[in-house]
Amino acid sequence: MGNLRSNKARLSAATRTAVFLMIGGLLAVPYAAVALWIVQLWQFAGANPLAVPSGLLIGTGLLAVPSTLGVMRTLERTAANELLGTAMEEPAGTTRLADVARGALWFLVHLLSGALAVAVLGFVLPTLAAIALALFGGGTTGLAPFTGQLLPGVETAAAAWLLTAAGAAALALLFGVASQLRLWAVLLLGPSEQARLAIAEREARELARRNELARELHDSIGHALTVTTLQAAAARRLLAAEPDKAAASMAAVEQAGRAALEELDYVLGILRAPTDGSGSLPERLRELIARHRSPGPPAELRLAGELSAIPDAVAGELYRMVQEGLSNAAKHAPESACTVALEVHGSAAAGSVVLRLANKLPTAVPAAADPRRLPGGRGLAGLAERAMLLGGTFGAGEADGMWQVTAELPWGGRRTRGSREK
């Protein structure tokens, strides 16, 4: 059954290629008539020296004008997609001279390959059939008038063999050309090197955009869900013994839920237009710290330097890094204090900001709660990606009984020592 389907697919492809060649043959008919007309002008060359050059100029114009039109390239591209099995899209942007030249060359290839197919069907195959019938009948005497016209002065039997060899060569050439048409179509009608680079850059930007959205969802919604889960667990434990504290925890759950809705609206807004939220970075960080609730001591925010010098793009990434760091601290060390320190160096023209986020490690760290083993493996990786995309550095590890996350994000031409992850 599989072989039958494969044979049908090959037959269908061969049929479509034959149709494509026939279209080229039909397009070649008027050009063949023009070529015959130019040949006939040779007899007037003595009386009118401009006859042949004028005919050549007219014939060249009739060939060049259609082959360089954009609509002709579109038609040829459509025909190749439908009949040769290519999948070329209409190129966007300005058409280059090289693209016009490649399209004209493909038009010429289509004409010549179609003319070859018509010649094989209309002349070569009938000739080979006549020679085969004559040989099957026992001699080549009946071919003498035919071979005498095609190859005058050549003995009939020799002429028959020469015509057979020429016909076989024409058939082989036709099959070879037909097998390469799809490749030539892609090379001559497909995107140029510059267009392929533009497509690759656009795809890279789209991929980076999707990765950005994934990081935003992980950092913002993941942070809210972590806080909600911790506060709900605390409320359950305190509900019977300390209802006031349980009520406070549930209020924190409500607040975290509202903040999550705001964050979700922000993240979905990335799909429409880039935005970095409302308010200055210190205000947003203080609100984030205020929303960060855990059974342990409250988080502490330390700011140094001129935070207004931080560009919006860097500030947006920095906010998400702090949010992710706080989420990790609440998840893996909920009883310990967390310190967030920002230090700005340089000016708005060129500078960098250093982020240091530290919290005490719990006395016993189960494997499942190890900060180095975040669920899904995207916590630290996402932070490292954010730093790397801005040309900064990143580090995370244990030091002096503290879990520390450090990052330096540059802007305005300032360079750091390269991205690293401890």
Side-chain angles (χ1 to χ4, degrees):
M1 182 64 70
N3 291 334
L4 180 60
R5 291 178 180 174
S6 178
N7 291 334
K8 287 183 178 179
R10 285 195 293 269
L11 178 61
S12 179
T15 303
R16 291 195 299 269
T17 303
V19 172
F20 184 83
L21 289 172
M22 288 301 99
I23 293 174
L26 292 175
L27 292 174
V29 169
Y31 291 101
V34 172
L36 290 175
W37 171 65
I38 294 174
V39 170
Q40 292 176 354
L41 289 177
W42 282 100
Q43 58 184 329
F44 302 105
N48 184 4
L50 296 178
V52 175
S54 299
L56 290 174
L57 183 61
I58 293 173
T60 302
L62 291 175
L63 179 64
V65 171
S67 65
T68 55
L69 293 177
V71 64
M72 182 60 70
R73 291 194 299 275
T74 299
L75 291 174
E76 289 285 352
R77 190 177 293 109
T78 301
N81 288 339
E82 294 295 329
L83 298 175
L84 298 181
T86 58
M88 296 176 290
E89 297 181 358
E90 191 70 19
T94 305
T95 302
R96 300 174 180 267
L97 183 60
D99 298 330
V100 176
R102 291 189 303 121
L105 180 58
W106 169 253
F107 184 71
L108 182 61
V109 168
H110 194 183
L111 290 182
L112 294 178
S113 61
L116 176 61
V118 170
V120 167
L121 290 177
F123 179 76
V124 173
L125 290 181
T127 299
L128 293 178
I131 294 174
L133 289 174
L135 294 176
F136 183 78
T140 58
T141 306
L143 294 174
F146 179 67
T147 59
Q149 291 181 352
L150 294 178
L151 298 173
V154 180
E155 194 268 330
T156 303
W161 286 112
L162 288 175
L163 290 175
T164 301
L171 283 172
L173 178 61
L174 178 60
F175 282 115
V177 169
S179 66
Q180 298 299 312
L181 281 177
R182 189 175 185 275
L183 174 62
W184 294 344
V186 174
L187 291 176
L188 298 177
L189 292 177
S192 62
E193 185 66 25
Q194 293 83 355
R196 284 194 292 270
L197 289 175
I199 292 172
E201 291 175 357
R202 184 174 67 249
E203 291 177 348
R205 288 194 298 269
E206 292 175 354
L207 179 60
R209 194 69 167 171
R210 289 194 294 269
N211 289 337
E212 178 186 1
L213 179 59
R215 288 193 302 270
E216 296 292 343
L217 286 172
H218 176 277
D219 294 351
S220 61
I221 308 304
H223 170 79
L225 291 177
T226 298
V227 172
T228 299
T229 302
L230 290 173
Q231 294 298 333
R236 180 177 56 83
R237 291 195 303 268
L238 298 172
L239 185 59
E242 300 179 79
D244 292 340
K245 291 185 178 181
S249 294
M250 294 307 299
V253 170
E254 179 184 2
Q255 184 180 7
R258 295 181 185 277
L261 290 176
E262 295 175 1
E263 293 289 350
L264 181 60
D265 182 66
Y266 164 78
V267 172
L268 294 179
I270 294 177
L271 295 175
R272 306 183 190 96
T275 179
D276 292 302
S278 58
S280 65
L281 179 61
E283 292 174 353
R284 297 178 63 200
L285 289 176
R286 291 189 181 97
E287 292 176 358
L288 180 62
I289 293 294
R291 292 200 305 265
H292 175 73
R293 304 281 184 87
S294 69
E300 180 183 359
L301 178 64
R302 300 174 183 175
L303 304 177
E306 189 59 46
L307 269 71
S308 61
I310 303 176
D312 291 343
V314 178
E317 294 299 312
L318 187 63
Y319 177 86
R320 292 302 179 195
M321 295 180 77
V322 173
Q323 186 180 53
E324 173 67 10
L326 290 174
S327 179
N328 291 340
K331 184 187 303 181
H332 300 292
E335 302 293 338
S336 66
C338 184
T339 301
V340 178
L342 294 180
E343 185 176 353
V344 178
H345 304 279
S347 62
S352 66
V353 57
V354 178
L355 165 66
R356 294 184 177 88
L357 195 150
N359 61 272
K360 291 184 178 180
L361 288 171
T363 305
V365 184
D370 192 336
R372 292 162 292 187
R373 301 183 182 181
L374 298 176
R378 297 305 305 162
L380 295 181
L383 292 173
E385 287 175 3
R386 290 183 183 277
M388 180 187 65
L389 289 174
L390 293 176
T393 64
F394 173 77
E398 182 181 348
D400 301 327
M402 302 284 289
W403 178 258
Q404 299 185 11
V405 172
T406 60
E408 183 176 1
L409 309 180
W411 64 84
R414 174 170 288 198
R415 292 292 179 265
T416 57
R417 290 173 294 174
S419 180
R420 67 186 185 275
E421 185 172 353
K422 295 180 182 178

